[in-house]
Amino acid sequence: MSVRGPLRHHRLIATVVPLAATVTLAATLSACSGDEPPKKAYTVPSSLCGITVDPALVKAALPGGDSLTSATVKPNGGTVRCNLSVDGKEALSLAQAWWGEGDSATWVAQGYSHTDNGTLSEDERFVYTGRAGVGQTVSSCEVSEHPEQDLYIVVETRDTGIDDPDAIEKLLTAYTAAVEKSAACR
């Protein structure tokens, strides 16, 4: 019995130690990944592609990362897109697009991803979800290059894990108001 007892005790210790180490490792990894989103170490400028907007509203719709860059893209004669990238990966697009006079925000939203079943604002100028939104500028936003067209603003997150209707709504309405005051509407 003296041989059996210590061996059984030794096996029990050998089983318990790795189990304890596994539990500790799992707890440590869980604490590292945590529920905290990645830190947003970059600074958002107050002017993005020529449009002044509150940096805090933009940052709320962006993922965590270390660096932020922006690029203006003009894919056709009626659209200007300000693409924001975090750590080299496209994260957010803020676009100005001319659509036919008499179109509506709900009609235009059908042409953009992630706007299905969006919330329609009381004044029916804005449609948004947690990932994207479309806003119609005021009727006084007219330019000679686009007669009989209305300017719409489109905010689209890319595959970043952002899904925040409140952040999208605030950014969309603020960016639309900023565009209305800019040269894009004169």
Side-chain angles (χ1 to χ4, degrees):
M1 190 157 168
S2 64
V3 171
R4 223 172 189 199
L7 282 177
R8 190 179 337 188
H9 185 264
H10 179 70
R11 285 184 188 151
L12 180 63
I13 290 173
T15 304
V16 171
V17 170
L19 180 62
T22 302
V23 170
T24 302
L25 178 61
T28 303
L29 290 174
S30 174
C32 289
S33 62
D35 293 340
E36 303 228 356
K39 188 174 181 174
K40 298 178 182 183
Y42 49 80
T43 300
V44 177
S46 61
S47 179
L48 294 169
C49 303
I51 303 296
T52 301
V53 65
D54 181 354
L57 297 177
V58 177
K59 203 169 203 176
L62 290 170
D66 294 319
S67 67
L68 177 73
T69 57
S70 66
T72 302
V73 179
K74 297 179 181 182
N76 59 47
T79 302
V80 176
R81 207 176 280 139
C82 185
N83 293 330
L84 305 177
S85 297
V86 174
D87 295 341
K89 183 179 177 193
E90 192 171 320
L92 182 67
S93 175
L94 305 168
Q96 304 166 35
W98 292 93
W99 283 71
E101 191 173 54
D103 288 338
S104 66
T106 53
W107 174 259
V108 173
Q110 293 177 35
Y112 295 94
S113 299
H114 310 295
T115 58
D116 296 341
N117 301 316
T119 301
L120 180 63
S121 65
E122 221 174 277
D123 62 4
E124 298 184 357
R125 289 181 53 212
F126 302 94
V127 175
Y128 58 91
T129 66
R131 297 193 56 201
V134 172
Q136 183 178 16
T137 60
V138 292
S139 60
S140 60
C141 181
E142 297 177 345
V143 296
S144 60
E145 295 87 11
H146 299 283
E148 300 179 23
Q149 290 185 315
D150 292 326
L151 183 60
Y152 287 83
I153 303 307
V154 183
V155 172
E156 294 178 284
T157 61
R158 300 304 185 209
D159 295 324
T160 59
I162 300 294
D163 190 352
D164 186 342
D166 188 50
I168 296 299
E169 178 192 21
K170 287 177 180 176
L171 176 57
L172 178 62
T173 56
Y175 195 74
T176 301
V179 169
E180 290 169 343
K181 295 174 187 169
S182 75
C185 281
R186 290 184 212 133

